[in-house]
């Protein structure tokens, strides 16, 4: 599981008098608020109707009762996890988390004790599911930090299955703990040896305190008026200061997401003369394109847009599926076109206000608020809402009744390309319900790619295509389920390398290049030859080779993908070219020996008719371009 990420001040408080969330220590009613402890980074947001329906559907499935049974203000906090997980905050209490589990590919509700009280207080156990009662004498051990052992079980729902989420109650029916079953309910009743429930959360048994419900988000906006005015004022000052400090024409980058919508409204409150930019990647949701057009009409600004058309599908066979490490699609479908859009409309460049926030990622938290885009050389970017949480953004949108993208109300927590590898597997599964034609097109391509690479449909189902190097949790799942993750190599096929380079998407500083041979390559043969040593220091692990050349680096994946990072485009192109040529040498060496005579340090030798680079190589690279494979291959 991902570690908590501290990106800024934790701002969520709760007014128990008004029963609403407040972004500070005092509510507009004058009442002091109480701090709500949530998992960092604390990018809190409102729960929409679909979110509440999903929470209740999962709660009904697991416990036979809805968690949120009446009209209440519900806040979600996006917590670090391997896929998607949101903490659920109601009445100022964290009731639990709902997360999409990658092994079962299902949503699971992980209750805290307070959430379990909401479900089980004053309920007959005969009407509930997922419950375990324990002996009174076992309560002190649970509160002391122990798991529930089977001999301490008094009774249990016989339908509990191993790994189910369960609620543990004392003999009088008060909640003591929540956790996950380590044996089924029937076995628990037999009280054998062993752990019955692995405890996750526990508290002294007590009655639930229920605050009056019925609040709406209008009341939340009213309660936060002072704090919102403060944040809005700072953003207005930033916009006015930055725009007055330069002579470039002003633009707003609109993506169809909530953050860019808030920035557009803020800029419209400060400036009259500005343009709205929109890059249609060709793989946008139709709702996003329609929303961009609606917003343009609302603000009375012409939408300066450019479309990439079918560029993604025309390029995917060359590069393979995009991944978190290799988002070639950003360069082909977004950064290149937006460069053309700016250069075609603004001869001396432009100032662009962008909806970037520090609570989104560690990289954005470290970013400057004003920066020169090294990829679009004549564009200056500026972030007016850098210090805002998602809750600030949504309250601002609600204040002005702005036309936000309807996809937020359909369960998507981020708006981007519908097949983005950075989205969650949960969102990809949701895509099957909201846009089945898109899901079918993507899955058809991915399954075809998997079959041609010796991979399985499970590799597609579990979202493993989104990574060149799988995160630890996905590695565990692949091992447990026997899912192959390293593509098979066709030794008789010719290698054709395609490369794109440009400003690293979504990160400040540095230039990236990405390329692909379009098919799997034999990393074992490359490792044996040590040809990559001519480029830099090399480290191999399953399915990937990493090359380090001073501060620059590159990675070679068994899938045939190559990525490189450097400070300038010239350097990164040189690096990725050297890596590509060294791979060609390793895979097609004829054993001619030309490189042996050209090595100034005598570290190249011949073995079994193949050139090998020794461990004393100084990475000068002089053997690369003299190779006949490189010169004539």
């Amino acid at each position: 599981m991902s570690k908590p990420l501290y990106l800024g001040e934790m701002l969520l408080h709760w007014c128990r008098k008004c029963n609403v969330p407040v972004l500070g220590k005092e509510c507009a009613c004058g009442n002091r608020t109480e701090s709500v402890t949530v998992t960092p980074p604390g990018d809190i947001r409102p729960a929409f109707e679909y979110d509440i329906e999903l929470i209740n559907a999962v709660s009904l499935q697991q416990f036979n009762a809805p968690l949120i049974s009446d009209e209440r203000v519900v806040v979600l906090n996006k917590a670090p996890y391997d896929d998607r997980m949101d903490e659920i905050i109601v009445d100022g209490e964290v009731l639990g988390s709902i997360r999409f589990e990658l092994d079962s590919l299902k949503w699971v509700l992980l209750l805290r004790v307070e959430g379990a009280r909401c479900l089980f207080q004053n309920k007959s156990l005969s009407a509930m599911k997922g419950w375990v009662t324990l002996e009174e004498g076992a309560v002190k051990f649970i509160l002391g930090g122990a798991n529930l052992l089977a001999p301490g079980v008094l009774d249990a729902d016989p339908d509990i299955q191993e790994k189910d989420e369960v609620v543990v109650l004392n003999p009088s029916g008060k909640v003591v703990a929540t956790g996950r079953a380590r044996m089924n309910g029937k076995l628990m009743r037999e009280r054998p040896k062993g752990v019955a429930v692995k405890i996750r959360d526990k508290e002294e048994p007590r009655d639930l305190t229920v605050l009056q419900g019925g609040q709406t988000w209008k009341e939340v906006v009213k309660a936060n008026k002072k704090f919102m005015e403060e944040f809005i004022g700072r953003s207005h000052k930033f916009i006015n200061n930055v725009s007055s400090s330069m002579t470039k024409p002003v633009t707003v980058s609109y993506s169809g997401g909530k953050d860019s919508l808030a920035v557009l409204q803020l800029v419209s409150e400060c400036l009259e003369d500005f343009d709205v930019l929109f890059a249609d990647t060709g793989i946008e949701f139709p709702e996003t394109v329609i929303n961009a057009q609606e917003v343009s009409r609302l603000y009375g600004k012409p939408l300066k847009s450019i479309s990439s058309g079918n560029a993604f599908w025309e390029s995917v066979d060359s590069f393979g599926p995009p991944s978190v490490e290799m988002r070639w699609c950003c360069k082909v479908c977004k950064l290149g076109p937006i460069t053309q859009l700016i250069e075609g409309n603004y001869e001396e460049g432009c100032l662009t206000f962008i909806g970037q926030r520090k609570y989104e990622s560690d990289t954005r938290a470290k970013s400057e608020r004003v920066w020169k885009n090294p990829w679009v050389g004549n564009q200056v970017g500026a972030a007016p809402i850098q210090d805002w949480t998602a809750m600030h953004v949504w309250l601002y949108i609600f204040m002005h009744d702005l036309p936000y993208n309807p996809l937020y109300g359909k369960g998507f927590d981020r708006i981007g390309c519908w097949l983005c590898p950075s989205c969650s597997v949960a969102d990809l599964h949701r895509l099957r319900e909201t846009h089945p034609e898109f899901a079918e097109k993507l899955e058809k391509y991915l399954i075809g790619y998997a079959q041609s690479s010796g991979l399985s449909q499970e590799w597609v189902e579990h979202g493993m295509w989104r990574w060149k190097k799988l995160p630890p949790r996905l590695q565990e799942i692949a091992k447990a389920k026997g899912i192959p993750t390293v593509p098979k190599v066709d030794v008789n096929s010719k290698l054709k390398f395609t490369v794109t380079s440009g400003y690293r998407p979504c990160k400040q500083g540095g230039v990236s290049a990405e390329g692909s041979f379009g098919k799997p390559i034999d990393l074992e043969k490359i490792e044996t030859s040590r040809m990559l040593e001519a480029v830099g220091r090399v480290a191999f692990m399953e399915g990937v080779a990493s090359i380090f050349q001073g501060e620059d680096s590159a990675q070679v994946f068994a899938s045939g993908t190559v990525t490189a990072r450097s400070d300038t485009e010239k350097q990164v192109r040189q690096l990725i070219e050297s890596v590509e040529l060294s791979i060609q040498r390793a895979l097609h060496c004829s054993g001619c020996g030309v490189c042996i005579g050209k090595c100034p340090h005598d570290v190249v030798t011949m073995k079994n008719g193949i050139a090998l680079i020794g461990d004393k190589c100084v990475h000068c690279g002089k053997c690369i371009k003299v190779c006949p494979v490189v010169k004539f291959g």
Side-chain angles (χ1 to χ4, degrees), residues 547-554 565-568 571-572 575:
I547 305 102
F548 304 95
Q549 191 184 78
E551 295 296 318
D552 302 341
S553 64
R565 300 281 187 269
S566 187
D567 290 331
T568 68
Q571 288 174 311
V572 83
L575 175 58

Side-chain angles (χ1 to χ4, degrees), residues 475-487:
Q475 290 180 28
E476 292 171 6
I477 292 171
K479 184 176 180 180
K481 294 180 176 289
I483 302 173
T485 60
V486 178

Side-chain angles (χ1 to χ4, degrees), residues 452 487-495 519-522:
S452 67
K488 292 183 179 179
V489 180
D490 181 0
V491 295
N492 296 316
S493 62
K494 291 185 178 181
L495 293 178
K519 60 189 68 178
I521 56 177
D522 190 344

